[in-house]
Amino acid sequence: TEKNNPEMQSVIRLPNAGEEPLPLVYSDTLEEDKIQEYLKEGAVVLPLGVAFGEPGNVVVTAHSSGTAAFGSFRFAFAKLSELEVGNEFTVTTPTATYRYRVYKKEIVWPHQVDKLPQDDRSTVTLVTCWPLWTNFKRLLVHAELVGTEYEL
């Protein structure tokens, strides 16, 4: 898709992941097999109908550990558990940079998607498997938009 064009690449920068921006891959499906393929290319934005900066919740998922078969981004969210309430991260798209501040962390069972925010704030939920080296539970890191800088 156009959003996955390398020249139009969106990235997420987490404060504890060094300076290396993590590519965002926009999934066009919720099919597990396809998402697993996309996870080899970076962090995956699920197709839930909300864009960064808009009211609603954007879900971004990535691997936190795994074998080489998971690809070069298998440790993309390895340090996600180190993000604390009050920490900030950015999402940069071709049109803007969005700054989000973490307001909550929780560990849930994989089926507990009702834990996603359901309000009018502009939020992002970062999701990865937990604990490391398992797919037993999910770590959710919820953050809300605190600033936007538009590209001119």
Side-chain angles (χ1 to χ4, degrees), residues 8-66:
M8 303 292 286
Q9 184 77 63
S10 297
V11 297
I12 185 170
R13 287 183 175 84
L14 300 177
N16 54 0
E19 292 304 305
E20 202 56 38
L22 181 62
L24 289 173
V25 181
Y26 290 85
S27 179
D28 51 2
T29 179
L30 290 171
E31 285 179 41
E32 186 66 24
D33 292 352
K34 293 277 285 197
I35 290 171
Q36 290 300 323
E37 285 302 307
Y38 290 142
L39 286 168
K40 293 177 180 175
E41 301 168 30
V44 176
V45 180
L46 299 183
L48 303 179
V50 177
F52 294 108
E54 290 181 353
N57 185 248
V58 178
V59 176
V60 180
T61 185
H63 287 304
S64 55
S65 57

Side-chain angles (χ1 to χ4, degrees), residues 53-105:
E54 290 181 353
N57 185 248
V58 178
V59 176
V60 180
T61 185
H63 287 304
S64 55
S65 57
T67 65
F70 281 33
S72 58
F73 291 101
R74 65 187 183 274
F75 299 115
F77 277 2
K79 295 186 175 186
L80 197 61
S81 66
E82 296 174 15
L83 277 183
E84 297 298 338
V85 170
N87 288 164
E88 294 185 359
F89 62 88
T90 60
V91 171
T92 302
T93 70
T95 56
T97 295
Y98 303 96
R99 200 169 76 253
Y100 291 91
R101 183 176 298 134
V102 175
Y103 68 86
K104 184 178 180 185
K105 290 168 58 173

Side-chain angles (χ1 to χ4, degrees), residues 108-118 140:
V108 301
W109 295 102
H111 64 273
Q112 290 179 302
V113 289
D114 56 338
K115 294 282 188 184
L116 298 177
Q118 302 284 335
L140 307 183

